[in-house]
Amino acid sequence: MSGRFLAIRVLALLSVLLGLNYVLWRWLASVNWDAWWIAVPLVVAETYSLVDTILFAATMWRAKERPRPTSPPQGTVDVFITTYNEPIEMVMATALAAKRITYPHHTWILDDGARDDLAQAAREAGIGYLTRSADWADKPRHAKAGNLNNALLQTDGEFLLILDADQVPDPLILENTLGYFADDPQVALVQTPQWFVNVAEADPLGSQAPLFYGPIQQGKDGWNAAFFCGSNAILRRDALMQLGIVGYVRDLEDSVVTALKASQRMLRRTASDRSLTPEITAEVRRLGEAVQRARAELALGGPIAEVTAAVHAEVQAASRRLVDADMAAIRADVAELAALAVQRDAELDAFVVDESALESLSVREMSPLATIAAVDALVEAVRVDRPGEAQPIQPLATISVTEDMATAMQLHALGWKSVYHHEILAHGLAPEDLRTMLKQRLRWAQGTMQVLLRDNPLRKKGLSVGQRLMYFGTMWSYLSGFAAVIYLAAPIIYLLLGVLPVTAWSVDFFARFLPYFIVNQILFVVVAKGIKTWRGQQYSLALFPVWIAACVTAFANVVLGKSLDFVVTRKDGRAAGGPPWREIWPQLTAMVLLAIATIVGIGRVLAGTADGTGTLVNTVWVGYDLVVLSVLIQAARYQGFQPPVAAAEPTASIEQKEPPWTSP
């Protein structure tokens, strides 16, 4: 172990211990219960930050700096360039660079916009062109994941290099990464950094993420949890196809079991009707026994197709024997069932049975034959050919508007491994205006929270403890918006109203808080190893309305069923319109309130109505908040990237290559 990694471990351990000492003291001895309405939220926010510290320390505990792969590159490769509405010139620049990759491969443009002029440009350049097949018409499209899934079933390369339309690859990207797959046949994914060439030195939009594409991914890699980031990654086709098949089987099994349970409830309800004749009651009970047998066979691993076919045959036989029942009642009941019982979730790749609708059906009066027809409709709706989908098997995860993290987590849960290769091998374009950047960050956060709500890593089977923590740590970070509101509100409340959230600004407070804060900052400095991280720290607080909006909209989507729009990030220059002041009004309002609170607080000290120590502490706190939030004013006024006269020096922590294009 190197001296640097030993220092990281010592600092990580100290940071956690000092944080526990401070937060426990805050809960047990310093909460001002007379002002519980701000004191309790503040200590909860501090507890949130401590958990964040623990997760970061765990991430860095096993950080891995990998050597280059020892095996030579081998295997067939398809290069996928995904596009929807990006300029054709941009797409073709990436495609032509991909064609020049030195390792033998086949380059494909995956055009979700189905543009004839792009198809023609691809043909003229000798580049493959794919768009959605007719099977996708009037079916859930699943955004980028659907585009990739469509291409997977039309190509046959053993490995897939996935690139966004703006990510121009280095000619050696495959030469330098394919060896990992030969070194270890369990490797399913190799992720390389994303680096942007149209970012100013000051990086006012915080587009570069050298801390993430570096120490953090290396830390996750140490736990075999480095995840797919949507582009600049190589994936093993066999792993993706296994993922698709396993997901298909699991979803189908869950859907069939749910349908059979609902069927059994309806049959039991009908059989309990004392007004029925003994013959009809016996028929309904016989069918209920058939459904029970089907459930038992499924539990023992029986083939789904055979089990559902047997139930369908029993239903048909029962229907013929009861055909003289009241047909009018049947039509009404079956029509209601068809509309309510089984639906397809457009984002979650599975059949979804409307439990509330089935519950209402199970407690209402239905004619016997209508109940039997309902059972048949439920079983038919979960056919193995998945008529509601364009293709039965969807290898890349479709449970989120961002397919990358969800796919990687499911691969890890199946026992596959991932690699983070710390070398810039593609150069892309970042958003050049604040409005576009805000939409991009919102989509990232929404997708991450969708995964948390639909497939919580803490409960996911197949993941190791370390993998659970690594995935949860990324998801946990997007809850910071709620803590940020408290951190902004607390000093304002004290300076304006004199309400103290702690019992006193005593020696005990500073003796516990300052060591925790200082060691935490030193840990960041040592981990960063010269990387500029301040801009990332600013945006983690300054984008608090975005993080809150992402949590709320993701919850509304997953729990309440409200739609969630997918927005493709614009990367072809600044969006139309002036500075988006309206889109950052919460931050601007907070800055105004912080400034007013500072003036009032100082005035109260001069008037002798406020404590000098408390005012000083909170004034420093306010100053820090204002400096952090000020990045948004700079970002709103940003006029876009101006290419430097001379090429920038390579980043110290990442081996940086010149982009393979001749002009920015």
Side-chain angles (χ1 to χ4, degrees), residues 270-287 322 368:
T270 301
S272 66
D273 187 350
R274 296 182 180 180
S275 66
L276 300 179
T277 65
E279 293 79 6
I280 293 177
T281 300
E283 194 68 56
V284 173
R285 286 176 176 169
R286 184 160 44 245
L287 184 56
L322 296 175

Side-chain angles (χ1 to χ4, degrees), residues 470-608:
M470 294 304 100
Y471 279 105
F472 181 73
T474 299
M475 299 168 184
W476 178 261
S477 66
Y478 285 114
L479 298 173
S480 63
F482 299 101
V485 172
I486 305 303
Y487 286 139
L488 292 170
I492 294 174
I493 291 171
Y494 176 80
L495 293 172
L496 290 179
L497 305 176
V499 176
L500 193 64
V502 297
T503 51
W505 300 110
S506 61
V507 173
D508 283 343
F509 172 82
F510 292 106
R512 287 170 170 81
F513 173 74
L514 288 178
Y516 170 43
F517 177 79
I518 293 171
V519 170
N520 211 356
Q521 293 303 305
I522 294 174
L523 173 61
F524 262 94
V525 171
V526 174
V527 165
K529 196 175 64 172
I531 295 172
K532 296 178 180 179
T533 63
W534 171 240
R535 191 66 80 213
Q537 293 182 56
Q538 281 185 294
Y539 274 112
S540 67
L541 174 65
L543 294 184
F544 70 91
V546 175
W547 310 145
I548 293 173
C551 293
V552 172
T553 53
F555 179 86
N557 172 252
V558 175
V559 178
L560 305 179
K562 295 186 177 181
S563 61
L564 197 64
D565 293 333
F566 181 88
V567 179
V568 177
T569 303
R570 178 189 177 100
K571 297 178 181 177
D572 55 346
R574 290 179 55 81
W581 301 117
R582 291 185 179 181
E583 298 183 29
I584 57 172
W585 70 263
Q587 295 96 319
L588 297 176
T589 302
M591 294 179 73
V592 171
L593 291 175
L594 287 166
I596 293 174
T598 302
I599 296 172
V600 172
I602 294 174
R604 293 178 66 244
V605 170
L606 295 176

Side-chain angles (χ1 to χ4, degrees), residues 630-648:
S630 67
V631 68
L632 289 170
I633 296 178
Q634 182 183 358
R637 299 174 61 187
Y638 182 52
Q639 295 298 311
F641 176 66
Q642 300 297 325
V645 176

Side-chain angles (χ1 to χ4, degrees), residues 74-82 95 98-99 101 103-110 127-130 148 150-163 169 173-174 177-178 181 232-238 240-241:
Q74 53 187 282
T76 58
V77 180
D78 287 317
V79 178
F80 287 168
I81 300 164
T82 59
K99 189 178 179 181
I101 291 174
Y103 185 83
H105 65 283
H106 195 157
T107 300
W108 300 91
I109 294 175
L110 313 186
I127 294 170
Y129 176 87
L130 293 173
L148 289 166
N150 173 71
L152 273 168
L153 299 190
Q154 299 185 55
T155 55
D156 57 8
E158 296 172 73
F159 302 99
L160 313 169
L161 168 59
I162 297 177
L163 299 168
I173 188 169
L174 294 176
T177 55
L178 278 178
F181 296 99
N232 308 357
I234 303 91
L235 293 98
R236 189 188 295 269
R237 179 184 292 271
D238 285 350
L240 288 175
M241 296 310 295

Side-chain angles (χ1 to χ4, degrees), residues 66-386:
R66 285 182 178 269
R68 289 182 177 273
T70 57
S71 300
Q74 53 187 282
T76 58
V77 180
D78 287 317
V79 178
F80 287 168
I81 300 164
T82 59
T83 178
Y84 175 61
N85 62 356
E86 294 87 353
I88 292 176
E89 295 78 9
M90 175 192 294
V91 178
M92 290 306 301
T94 300
L96 290 171
K99 189 178 179 181
R100 293 193 293 269
I101 291 174
T102 56
Y103 185 83
H105 65 283
H106 195 157
T107 300
W108 300 91
I109 294 175
L110 313 186
D111 184 16
D112 229 5
R115 292 168 286 180
D116 293 337
D117 43 0
L118 180 55
Q120 180 179 349
R123 284 193 300 269
E124 292 174 353
I127 294 170
Y129 176 87
L130 293 173
T131 189
R132 304 273 186 147
S133 66
D135 295 334
W136 290 86
D138 301 321
K139 301 289 179 62
R141 295 184 66 83
H142 304 305
K144 182 179 175 181
N147 192 11
L148 289 166
N149 286 334
N150 173 71
L152 273 168
L153 299 190
Q154 299 185 55
T155 55
D156 57 8
E158 296 172 73
F159 302 99
L160 313 169
L161 168 59
I162 297 177
L163 299 168
D164 283 345
D166 64 293
Q167 292 286 340
V168 176
D170 185 284
L172 296 178
I173 188 169
L174 294 176
E175 298 277 1
N176 292 359
T177 55
L178 278 178
Y180 290 113
F181 296 99
D183 285 349
D184 187 344
Q186 286 302 111
V187 170
L189 163 70
V190 176
Q191 178 68 56
T192 70
Q194 294 188 25
W195 190 264
F196 305 107
V197 298
N198 63 331
V199 173
E201 180 66 23
D203 194 11
L205 299 178
S207 297
Q208 303 288 25
L211 186 64
F212 177 79
Y213 288 112
I216 291 179
Q217 275 281 54
Q218 288 176 320
K220 293 180 184 295
D221 195 19
W223 295 97
N224 185 29
F227 57 75
F228 178 32
C229 299
S231 183
N232 308 357
I234 303 91
L235 293 98
R236 189 188 295 269
R237 179 184 292 271
D238 285 350
L240 288 175
M241 296 310 295
Q242 181 194 9
L243 179 60
I245 292 170
V246 169
Y248 164 76
V249 172
R250 287 177 177 172
D251 288 343
L252 193 60
E253 286 178 345
D254 291 344
S255 300
V256 171
V257 168
T258 303
L260 291 177
K261 285 181 180 179
S263 300
Q264 202 165 21
R265 287 201 303 269
M266 287 188 288
L267 290 167
R268 190 181 298 117
R269 171 71 180 177
T270 301
S272 66
D273 187 350
R274 296 182 180 180
S275 66
L276 300 179
T277 65
E279 293 79 6
I280 293 177
T281 300
E283 194 68 56
V284 173
R285 286 176 176 169
R286 184 160 44 245
L287 184 56
E289 292 170 358
V291 172
Q292 179 61 39
R293 287 196 302 272
R295 292 182 61 187
E297 290 178 23
L298 281 179
L300 294 175
I304 294 176
E306 293 182 11
V307 170
T308 55
V311 173
H312 183 69
E314 291 281 356
V315 169
Q316 293 299 310
S319 297
R320 287 192 296 269
R321 289 190 290 266
L322 296 175
V323 74
D324 292 333
D326 184 359
M327 296 302 297
I330 296 171
R331 291 190 185 95
D333 290 332
V334 173
E336 183 173 346
L337 177 84
L340 297 176
V342 180
Q343 300 174 356
R344 163 65 63 175
D345 190 307
E347 295 185 42
L348 181 60
D349 183 23
F351 289 96
V352 177
V353 178
D354 189 333
E355 295 287 356
S356 62
L358 292 179
E359 184 65 25
S360 66
L361 286 170
S362 66
V363 299
R364 57 168 291 181
E365 295 296 332
M366 296 178 67
S367 64
L369 192 52
T371 301
I372 294 173
V375 172
D376 195 32
L378 285 170
V379 175
E380 178 67 12
V382 290
R383 292 185 351 225
V384 295
D385 60 345
R386 285 186 167 185

